Amino acid sequence: MSAWLEIKDLSAKVGEKEILKGLSLSVGKGEIHVLMGPNGSGKSTLSNVLCGDPMYEVTGGSVTFKGKDLLAESIEERACDGIFMAFQRPVEIPGVTMTTFMKYALNARRRAAGLSEMDAVSFIKRLKIRAKAFDISEEMLKRPVNVGFSGGEKKRMENLQMAVLEPDFCILDEMDAGLDVDAVKVAGAGVQIMRGPERTFFVISHNIGFLREQIKPDFVHILVGGRVVANGGTELMDEVEKNGFSRFYKEA
Amino acid sequence: MAEEKLSVRDAVSDTYKYGFTTNVASETAPKGLSEDVIRFISAKKNEPDWLTEFRLKAYRHWLTMAEPHWGMIAYDPIDYQDIYYYSAPKTATAPKKLEDVDPELLKTYDKLGVPLQERAALAGVAVDAVFDSVSVATTFREKLAEKGIVFCSISEAVQLHPDLVRRFLGSVVPYTDNFFACLNAAVFSDGTFVYIPKGVRCPMELSTYFRINAQKTGQFERTLIIADDDSYVSYLEGCTAPQRDENQLHAAIVEIVVMNNAEVKYSTVQNWYPGDKNGKGGIYNFVTKRGLCKGVNAKLSWTQVETGSALTWKYPSCVLAGDNSRGEFYSVAITNNYQQADTGTKMIHLGRGTTSTIVSKGISAGHSQNTYRGLVRMGKGAENARNFSQCDSLLIGGSCGAHTLPNMVSANPTASVEHEATTSKISDEQLYYCRQRGLSAEESVSLIVNGFCKDVMQKLPMEFAIEATRLVAVSLEGSVG
Ligand SMILES: Nc1ncnc2c1ncn2[C@@H]1O[C@H](COP(=O)(O)OP(=O)(O)O)[C@@H](O)[C@H]1O
Ligand SMILES: [Mg+2]
C-alpha cells in the first residue's frame, strides 16, 4: 500500500541540467507539509513536475497519487484529479476576466468528474462568497487574469482560485514572498479557510514566522540539491531559523 | 448484334437524357462566360433592359482587366471559363432529410450550438423540408413592411423597387472598381436589398431571413443597403455554422449608402469551408465591401469575424464624404492550417471632422498566412479629421506568418492619423497556467484567443458574439499538440 501521494526516487531535468536527483516523499491525506531548502534546491521544480509542466523531463522514479500513476497523466488530468498550484508568479491572460477564467476552469473540472456544468447564477454566488473571504472586490473579478494586479492582489487571486476550484492537493509556492507586511498577514488565508481532513497542502516558504503563525504544518521537509535530506516536524523549522541549512548541506 | 444492343440502350437512355436535358437546359447556363450567358442570366431573372446593359457593360470592361496579384495570397490560376455562372437551386442534389447530411458537418453544428431547426437549412436540405422556415420568413417581412422597411432579395427589389435599385446599384462600388467587383457586376446571382426609410429605426437585427435564404444566394452575391436620413439598421451577414457549398470561387459585393444622421452596423461572420488540414479545397473569397457615408453625421460600422475560406481577399471600407461622418472597422481574422487571409480596411476621409477607428486582430495558427492591409487616406477637405488604428497579431506555433501593412496618406495638415501595432505569441506559461487549472490545451487556446479578440467580439450583437466565441474554438481545433 502506497501513501496517498508517494514520490519515489524522482529525477528530473531541464535540457541537460539535472535538478531533481532521486527525491522521495510520502504524504497522507489531510496533512499540511512544508518544504524548505536553499534557493535552487528544486522546490519549485518538484512542484512543477508534480503538475506536469512540459518544461521538465522526468528521467527516473515514480509518483503515485490516489493509487494512480500520476506521471502518465496530462497537466489537465492531474488538475482535474485535484492537484492545484498557487503560482509564485502567475501569468497574465489579457482580455479574459478572472470570472470567466474561473468559470471555465470549474466547469472543465466538473465535466471531467462527470458532473453537469454549473450555471452562471450558481457560479457567481459561489464566487462572490469566496471573494469576500479574501477581500477581493467585484471590480477585481472583472479585470483580466492577473493583468495589472499588484503582487499581493495576485496572491489573493491564487487563493481565490483555490477556494473556488476546491482541489484536494494544494501546492503553494512562496505565497508570502515579495509581499509587504500587511499582505503577508493574509497570504495564509487560503490554507486557514480550506484546511481539513480531505485536503493536503504543500507549502513552500522561507518565512518561518509566516509558517508558524499562519500555516501551522504537520510535517516539515528539507530539500537540498534535488533531494529530501530531512523529514520531521516543526522542530526542523526552529533549527533552520537558528542555524540555516548548514547541517543539511553536509547530509546532502 | 452488338450494334443493335447499343442502339437500344442509347434509345432508352436518350429519352432519359432528353427529358433531363430539357429540364437542365432551362435552368443552367452553359459553362463559361460570354455575352450570351449574361443575357441568359438576365432573361432568367426577367430583368429590365437597363440591368441587362449594366451587366454587359461590366462584362465588356472585365475582359480588359487582369486579375490582381498584389495580395499576400498564392493560388493556382482560376479558369473563368470552367465555372457555371448561373444555375437554379439544386433541389435534386440537395439532401432531403437531416439524416442524409454529412455527420461531420452535423457534429460541428452541435459544437457550435446551432438550434436544431436551423441545422437543416444550413446543411442545404431542401427548403420545404425545413421546419417552419417559410412562415417564419413571412411573419418577419410583414412586421418590417409596417414600418416601410424593404428587406428582400435583390432580384425581387429589381422588380418591386426598380427606381431605388437603379439609382444606387454600382454607386458605391462601380463596375470598374476592380477585377472581382467587375465580374460580380456582370454575373451577380442574388443577394439582399435593404431600404430603411427616413427616420425609421429598424426594430430588429436583420438576420434570420438571410439565414433561411442563405443556400439560395450563390457565389456571386450582391448586397445593397440604403439607410435614409435619420435611420438606423443593424445587419448580420452569414452565420457561424459552415455552409454546404460546392462553389470554389466567391466574388461578392456589398454596397452601403448612409444618408444624413443615419447609422448602419454591418456584422459578418464568415465561415466558409477553409479546406482540409493539408490545404486541399476550400473557398476562394474575393469580396468588395464598401460603404458611403454620404450625409452629415452618417455612421457606418463594419464588424467582421473571419475564420473560413482557403483564401480571403477582403477590405470593407468607408468613404467618409459627409461632414462629421464616422467609419469603424472591427475585425478578427483567424487562419489555421494552410489558410491565407489578406484583409483589412480603407478609410477614405473626404469631409470635415470625419473620424474613423480601426481595430484589427489577426490570429495565425498552423501553416497559415495572415495579413492586415489597411489604407487611411485624408483628403484635402478632411479638415480636423481623425483616425486611430490598432492592429494586433497573435501567433500560435512557429510555422505561420502574420504581416501588418498599414498605409497612411494625408493631404490635409490638420488631420491626424494614429497607428499602433503589436505582435505576440501564446506563451507556454499561459498554456501551462490554464491547463493547470483544468482546461484542455484546445480550450486554453480558445480562451486566450477570445481574450485577445475581446475588443472586437464586444462589438458584435449579443447572440452573434456567443456563437462567434464558440466558432473561435472550432476553427482553432488541432492548432496545439
Ligand atoms: N526552466 C529552467 N531552466 C533552466 N534551469 C532551471 C529551470 N528551472 C529551474 N532551473 C534550475 O534548477 C534549479 C532549481 O530551481 P528551482 O526548482 O526553482 O529551485 P527553488 O524553487 O528551490 O529555489 C536552479 O538551479 C534553477 O536555476
Ligand atoms: Mg522556487
Side-chain angles (χ1 to χ4, degrees):
Chain A
M1 249 308 269
S2 62
W4 191 67
L5 171 69
E6 185 80 65
I7 305 170
K8 261 194 198 146
D9 293 326
L10 187 63
S11 301
K13 61 176 187 178
V14 165
E16 290 308 304
K17 186 180 164 110
E18 291 220 38
I19 306 171
L20 302 184
K21 300 168 185 164
L23 181 149
S24 298
L25 202 55
S26 285
V27 178
K29 196 165 159 181
E31 299 171 350
I32 299 189
H33 292 249
V34 161
L35 293 185
M36 302 188 82
N39 284 334
S41 57
K43 304 179 296 292
S44 296
T45 300
L46 172 62
S47 309
N48 285 313
V49 167
L50 292 178
C51 290
D53 186 348
M55 176 97 80
Y56 302 93
E57 187 193 338
V58 174
T59 51
S62 66
V63 181
T64 44
F65 179 57
K66 299 179 186 172
K68 287 193 279 187
D69 175 8
L70 187 74
L71 299 178
E73 295 188 347
S74 68
I75 307 170
E76 56 270 31
E77 282 167 341
R78 299 178 198 203
C80 293
D81 265 355
I83 296 186
F84 179 93
M85 166 114 109
F87 287 90
Q88 190 176 349
R89 277 175 293 272
V91 70
E92 298 182 359
I93 307 176
V96 180
T97 66
M98 270 294 178
T99 304
T100 302
F101 182 66
M102 279 184 256
K103 183 160 181 272
Y104 270 76
L106 181 68
N107 280 328
R109 302 160 87 101
R110 288 176 64 92
R111 277 198 308 276
L115 300 171
S116 64
E117 295 197 4
M118 189 178 277
D119 63 87
V121 177
S122 316
F123 174 75
I124 293 293
K125 223 169 112 189
R126 183 191 181 101
L127 182 63
K128 279 190 182 160
I129 292 168
R130 287 161 177 76
K132 239 193 188 138
F134 297 104
D135 195 26
I136 289 166
S137 66
E138 287 188 28
E139 184 270 329
M140 274 173 77
L141 295 173
K142 286 181 193 145
R143 271 155 56 181
V145 178
N146 297 319
V147 177
F149 285 5
S150 71
E153 285 173 332
K154 282 183 187 167
K155 295 299 164 79
R156 265 147 64 199
M157 280 297 187
E158 293 291 293
N159 264 325
L160 173 63
Q161 290 179 52
M162 185 167 79
V164 167
L165 302 177
E166 298 186 343
D168 50 20
F169 178 46
C170 310
I171 305 167
L172 280 64
D173 193 0
E174 308 222 16
M175 195 43 121
D176 58 299
L179 301 185
D180 59 42
V181 190
D182 291 329
V184 170
K185 276 186 195 145
V186 295
V191 177
Q192 286 156 19
I193 291 167
M194 293 180 68
R195 66 193 307 160
E198 298 300 317
R199 189 165 289 122
T200 294
F201 291 88
F202 251 27
V203 182
I204 297 168
S205 174
H206 293 287
N207 184 338
I208 294 182
F210 164 76
L211 291 172
R212 209 178 267 143
E213 283 147 38
Q214 297 193 49
I215 306 301
K216 302 185 173 53
D218 303 308
F219 302 98
V220 177
H221 313 278
I222 309 293
L223 249 77
V224 176
R227 238 172 269 161
V228 175
V229 296
N231 296 294
T234 48
E235 76 281 355
L236 284 177
M237 295 182 347
D238 302 337
E239 187 184 341
V240 170
E241 188 175 36
K242 249 193 255 148
N243 307 322
F245 294 105
S246 51
R247 169 167 79 89
F248 306 108
Y249 278 117
K250 279 171 217 140
E251 285 177 27
Chain B
M1 284 298 277
E3 222 172 316
E4 203 183 300
K5 255 188 190 164
L6 202 68
S7 67
V8 169
R9 207 177 65 193
D10 279 353
V12 171
S13 57
D14 266 357
T15 42
Y16 268 101
K17 203 165 87 189
Y18 285 135
F20 188 62
T21 316
T22 319
N23 200 358
V24 169
S26 66
E27 297 304 328
T28 305
K31 238 184 202 179
L33 206 46
S34 66
E35 295 208 0
D36 282 347
V37 167
I38 285 161
R39 283 203 178 85
F40 174 90
I41 295 171
S42 198
K44 278 266 86 152
K45 296 168 145 305
N46 205 11
E47 287 177 350
D49 291 344
W50 65 264
L51 191 49
T52 315
E53 269 317 301
F54 174 91
R55 288 177 181 277
L56 286 170
K57 257 205 314 221
Y59 172 65
R60 286 169 201 142
H61 185 73
W62 182 75
L63 290 174
T64 70
M65 299 177 95
E67 199 183 289
H69 285 284
W70 44 259
M72 284 183 74
I73 46 180
Y75 53 96
D76 291 336
I78 299 167
D79 181 355
Y80 292 92
Q81 294 303 336
D82 192 35
I83 293 173
Y84 288 103
Y85 289 88
Y86 181 85
S87 81
K90 293 182 205 149
T91 338
T93 58
K96 294 268 187 311
K97 302 190 296 289
L98 202 54
E99 292 85 85
D100 300 338
V101 173
D102 180 2
E104 278 300 307
L105 197 60
L106 293 180
K107 236 173 38 200
T108 310
Y109 293 165
D110 202 38
K111 282 184 203 154
L112 290 168
V114 175
L116 220 54
Q117 64 267 33
E118 283 178 28
R119 293 183 195 181
L122 295 171
V125 174
V127 172
D128 50 7
V130 176
F131 173 80
D132 214 19
S133 61
V134 179
S135 64
V136 170
T138 314
T139 356
F140 195 67
R141 271 175 76 167
E142 278 167 3
K143 224 168 136 187
L144 293 173
E146 280 168 25
K147 299 222 162 208
I149 294 168
V150 182
F151 183 36
C152 61
S153 74
I154 203 151
S155 311
E156 276 177 285
V158 168
Q159 307 300 331
L160 303 173
H161 307 278
D163 296 343
L164 275 176
V165 177
R166 190 168 185 179
R167 186 167 149 215
F168 290 105
L169 189 77
S171 69
V172 183
V173 182
Y175 67 85
T176 49
D177 192 79
N178 69 70
F179 182 84
F180 295 106
C182 192
L183 177 64
N184 176 290
V187 302
F188 69 90
S189 31
D190 214 332
T192 307
F193 178 80
V194 177
Y195 174 75
I196 315 287
K198 283 196 171 93
V200 171
R201 235 189 120 78
C202 184
M204 59 189 94
E205 317 267 0
L206 295 186
S207 68
T208 315
Y209 178 83
F210 190 90
R211 282 189 162 188
I212 289 161
N213 283 272
Q215 72 265 31
K216 278 197 235 156
T217 58
Q219 56 188 138
F220 301 104
E221 216 173 293
R222 182 137 196 152
T223 298
L224 177 57
I225 298 175
I226 301 144
D228 216 329
D229 294 349
D230 306 299
S231 68
Y232 168 84
V233 64
S234 167
Y235 183 88
L236 315 184
E237 177 201 295
C239 52
T240 50
Q243 298 182 8
R244 181 177 173 275
D245 190 350
E246 292 107 21
N247 299 314
Q248 185 161 48
L249 174 67
H250 278 236
I253 291 183
V254 176
E255 287 182 285
I256 301 177
V257 182
V258 195
M259 307 293 207
N260 294 315
N261 305 306
E263 177 175 353
V264 175
K265 280 183 75 151
Y266 191 105
S267 311
T268 309
V269 172
Q270 186 268 115
N271 189 27
W272 298 105
Y273 182 51
D276 68 11
K277 280 193 185 68
N278 305 312
K280 230 183 129 226
I283 304 292
Y284 292 2
N285 196 24
F286 296 94
V287 190
T288 306
K289 291 186 167 179
R290 191 175 306 149
L292 171 63
C293 285
K294 202 168 175 167
V296 298
N297 295 317
K299 184 175 167 189
L300 172 59
S301 178
W302 298 103
T303 305
Q304 61 171 24
V305 176
E306 302 276 317
T307 69
S309 297
L311 298 179
T312 301
W313 182 95
K314 170 177 172 183
Y315 317 90
S317 305
C318 300
V319 179
L320 304 171
D323 288 348
N324 299 316
S325 61
R326 169 159 181 79
E328 293 174 345
F329 175 74
Y330 300 103
S331 169
V332 169
I334 300 180
T335 53
N336 195 3
N337 298 318
Y338 286 88
Q339 283 177 275
Q340 306 174 68
D342 191 304
T343 183
T345 184
K346 288 188 257 180
M347 293 291 173
I348 312 295
H349 291 252
L350 302 176
R352 276 175 300 181
T354 48
T355 57
S356 64
T357 299
I358 297 170
V359 179
S360 161
K361 306 277 178 176
I363 298 108
S364 352
H367 300 271
S368 68
Q369 295 294 325
N370 200 328
T371 302
Y372 169 81
R373 186 184 300 275
L375 170 66
V376 176
R377 182 188 292 278
M378 297 295 183
K380 269 211 190 78
E383 205 67 21
N384 295 314
R386 276 177 292 124
N387 160 268
F388 174 73
S389 306
Q390 172 81 47
C391 298
D392 299 321
S393 305
L394 184 69
L395 299 163
I396 303 173
S399 312
C400 52
H403 319 276
T404 304
L405 305 169
N407 190 0
M408 286 156 268
V409 186
S410 182
N412 188 311
T414 66
S416 82
V417 179
E418 240 181 287
H419 178 88
E420 284 174 16
T422 66
T423 300
S424 52
K425 273 189 117 153
I426 291 187
S427 71
D428 292 343
E429 288 77 17
Q430 285 173 319
L431 272 180
Y432 175 44
Y433 189 77
C434 293
R435 294 179 70 189
Q436 206 300 303
R437 296 306 187 237
L439 300 168
S440 70
E442 281 186 349
E443 284 174 306
S444 306
V445 167
S446 110
L447 195 65
I448 294 166
V449 169
N450 271 306
F452 174 77
C453 309
K454 191 180 188 181
D455 297 346
V456 174
M457 294 299 208
Q458 277 175 339
K459 298 290 174 186
L460 287 171
M462 185 61 184
E463 193 204 305
F464 226 30
I466 294 166
E467 289 185 38
T469 301
R470 293 204 190 100
L471 180 61
V472 168
V474 171
S475 57
L476 287 171
E477 261 174 23
S479 63
V480 283

